[in-house]
Amino acid sequence: MTKANIVKLIILILVFLFFVLYFMQASGYTEYNKNKENMLSQEEIQKYEKDIASGKDVSIKDYLNKEKINYDNNISNLGLDVSYFIEKVFNKGMNAFFNMLNEAVSS
């Protein structure tokens, strides 16, 4: 593969990833998952109603599912670090690109 083909492939992959993330955000996928975390199960609703009927001082936070599993490991941390590095490089590249465009247009 030539350098031009490699660059085209990288740009194509980045554009594809951008559109995947954009459509995930636009479709409300993240909001749906957040909402699902905050929904009460039928058992929790019954317990809540029973506590209200008995006159207890209740807070909704007492009934939300608090079990959160931590999936962090070395591989996911490495992926996060690589993602941050790519973000820095991409931001610097875009800033340089737009600065060149600005100079070309203004001169």
Side-chain angles (χ1 to χ4, degrees):
M1 289 184 95
T2 64
K3 290 182 181 181
N5 287 343
I6 292 173
V7 170
K8 287 179 184 179
L9 179 65
I10 290 172
I11 291 173
L12 183 65
I13 290 171
L14 289 174
V15 168
F16 175 74
L17 290 175
F18 169 78
F19 280 113
V20 167
L21 292 173
Y22 177 78
F23 286 117
M24 282 177 55
Q25 183 271 335
S27 68
Y29 178 78
T30 305
E31 289 81 12
Y32 170 75
N33 282 339
K34 286 290 184 186
N35 188 29
K36 194 167 79 172
E37 286 178 9
N38 293 330
M39 291 179 65
L40 296 175
S41 69
Q42 192 65 28
E43 296 166 356
E44 292 166 333
I45 291 172
Q46 290 174 354
K47 183 179 175 187
Y48 179 74
E49 290 174 348
K50 182 180 175 184
D51 288 346
I52 289 177
S54 65
K56 290 184 181 177
D57 185 28
V58 294
S59 171
I60 194 69
K61 293 178 182 176
D62 297 335
Y63 301 93
L64 291 175
N65 187 4
K66 296 178 183 176
E67 295 179 26
K68 292 192 177 184
I69 300 171
N70 185 2
Y71 292 106
D72 288 349
N73 59 34
N74 291 336
I75 294 174
S76 65
N77 290 336
L78 176 67
L80 191 58
D81 291 341
V82 169
S83 174
Y84 287 144
F85 175 75
I86 291 171
E87 176 188 7
K88 285 181 191 177
V89 170
F90 187 76
N91 282 338
K92 286 181 183 178
M94 285 290 113
N95 286 336
F97 175 72
F98 284 118
N99 285 336
M100 286 189 302
L101 277 177
N102 190 24
E103 290 174 9
V105 170
S106 63
S107 58

